Amino acid sequence: MDTATGFLIDGPLTDGFKFRKGTFELKPFEDNDVDIRIESCSICGTDLHVATGEWKDQLYPFTEITGTVIRVGPKVTLVKVGQRVGVGAQASSCGACKPCQSDNETYCQDGIIHTVGSRWPESGIVSQGGLSSHTRVHEKWAFPIPDGMDSKYVSPMLCAGITAYSPLVSYGNISGKKIGVIGLGGIGHFAVLWGKALGAEVWVLSRSRAKEDAAVAMGADGFIATGEGELWHEPHRGDFTLILNTASSATDFDLRKYLSMIDVRGHFISVGMPAEGGFTLSAMDMVLNGVLIGASHIGNRRQVLDMLQLASEKGIKPWVEEMELNEENLILAMKKMMDSKARFRITMTGYSKAFSIA
Amino acid sequence: MDTATGFLIDGPLTDGFKFRKGTFELKPFEDNDVDIRIESCSICGTDLHVATGEWKDQLYPFTEITGTVIRVGPKVTLVKVGQRVGVGAQASSCGACKPCQSDNETYCQDGIIHTVGSRWPESGIVSQGGLSSHTRVHEKWAFPIPDGMDSKYVSPMLCAGITAYSPLVSYGNISGKKIGVIGLGGIGHFAVLWGKALGAEVWVLSRSRAKEDAAVAMGADGFIATGEGELWHEPHRGDFTLILNTASSATDFDLRKYLSMIDVRGHFISVGMPAEGGFTLSAMDMVLNGVLIGASHIGNRRQVLDMLQLASEKGIKPWVEEMELNEENLILAMKKMMDSKARFRITMTGYSKAFSIA
């Protein structure tokens, strides 16, 4: 097998979403590679960029993949044929640089291959995502899924889930501490679920109260509507150990108010990637509490495995809408994502039917 | 004793520095207060702001004080009469807020009294600095000086020294790691000395090579002239655990180049306080290596005591010019500071003569 079948986004779109079936070439099979027959895939914000043509190549999107291993290279030790695995937004890294050598392979300096839209070295073949029958990745990027977990719940953990999880475990123990989550979308809703599972007191910050009920149902301990008045930050001065910014826009974003809510040497970490603008920041804004500002990029293998283990042990179920994979549903699903109406992630299933796999 | 004598900066200046002797009222003596007869004081960048009238009140400047305790309140337990102590840029904090209760009293939320120019609660008396015969502070802000240390070396440690020391010990162990110091002024030179004493590999980053010899003489392992060409950052990508920014200007400062030199989840910490502007920052600038950006404000009592102990054990001597305290020398010294010509700190001594104290 050196090709796979999938749904291709048909060129940069101006009038809605269109998909057509196509066949694409897989990268040459190497000694550490594994082939995966895909079973489910969730839709990520990144896929909207692909679909609307911000990314140039014609692409098969989706980077929150579960499936079954059907072939392993002769040097593979981490997974076995028949095993169920997940694949997220990254499909390979150089393995040799300082970040790769220190469990920080998502910050690989020269060899990051994204699951969608990167060119594999030597062959130059463009990597394609999970809206397809099969995928081929380096074994390090195939994450064994604990038994008993439903693939439809596992899928969104592999990009949105780990994007929220990694910063919650990378800057010190949050158990017993107060954390804030800005924005309750796909990533934000995972931040609430993981934050609670990790023992934190979790507050959601959102412009309006439209999602307050959902936040509370997810277990949030508090909710702040930042669109109501000017002094919403005042009662919380210095209270938060960590604020995770999952909002995708920096417009009308008064960073100083958020920073004032953080404890000494606490963290303000962005995981949303605002397309426009940024913050203007002076040392004076940070010196009152010595707050640290940063950004986080998905999460390493170790963290993915820990996250899946935590979800398995605690029976954590993300809020997922399941849809059967076909062109019509894809259009519906993408539209829902574009309008921020998914509650809070959509997983496409029924792959064997869609691709006529026995 | 409820007054002290000192040299007053005579109002906002437009044509150079002027000092005249004056007498000022000390705050009411409280149970945890100590009176200190001052022996030496170094000049800090802050004093230039005072001298040039950026701070409104007529003030007795200087915040790097050593002296001998001559009186203690009935509840004082941390120091004794006759003991030599240092005082830095802060003279009190509320003691009750979360930062104060967690050894972060320099980030006190409501009760920070600066050594110069703050109003003491209740009395409303303005705090005055070390260009005077005596000072009165809360015992927590009087730091015992290890025996055998020369006061002229201890003085500059109490503000510039601790400002450099605190960030070097606050974000993880730097021993065996590579750190960068931007700017070789009073604070930067301390960062080199402390960095080496703490076991780090220390690189100095400066616009030109004018201070390269000095950096090497202080023990710096490497020197980067950022004004030479465009690609000075390239060979160091991801190498530094911590970069300490002591530069006081953000003009022509290409933050992204510095950030690219930092290891995954490493720190870029500013201690200089640029008067103008700031950085424009997007999550994208930080996500390539998950770098953390922050600022640091002097350092807590625990860190000051550790720093003095380290200096004592390792015999660390900052580069200090000693000058006898009188009007003429003060004018010379302030001019030298203003022109960034001090190498690298000026300590005024001879207080007993200047103030006719037996």
Side-chain angles (χ1 to χ4, degrees), chain B residues 8 10 26 44 68-69 80 89 107 118 133 149 176 180 193 200 204 216 251 253 255 264 282 295 300 347 356:
Chain B
L8 176 68
D10 206 1
L26 295 165
C44 174
T68 300
V69 174
K80 290 177 185 161
Y107 299 100
S118 290
S133 59
M149 293 184 80
L193 298 175
V204 171
V216 170
T251 310
F253 192 88
L255 180 62
V264 176
S282 80
N300 64 30
T347 304
S356 307

Side-chain angles (χ1 to χ4, degrees), chain A residues 98 104 107 109-110 170 237-239 263-265 269 278-281 283 287-295 297, chain B residues 98 104 107 109-110 170 237-239 263-265 269 278-281 283 287-295 297:
Chain A
K98 190 174 167 188
N104 288 309
Y107 299 99
Q109 293 184 331
D110 291 304
S170 292
R237 187 157 62 124
D239 276 359
D263 195 10
V264 176
R265 291 191 203 91
I269 304 295
F279 310 122
T280 301
L281 195 65
V287 81
L288 290 178
N289 51 2
V291 63
L292 295 161
I293 297 177
H297 177 54
Chain B
K98 190 174 167 190
N104 288 309
Y107 299 100
Q109 293 184 332
D110 291 305
S170 291
R237 187 158 61 123
D239 277 359
D263 195 10
V264 176
R265 293 190 200 93
I269 304 295
F279 310 120
T280 301
L281 195 66
V287 82
L288 291 179
N289 51 3
V291 64
L292 296 161
I293 297 176
H297 177 54

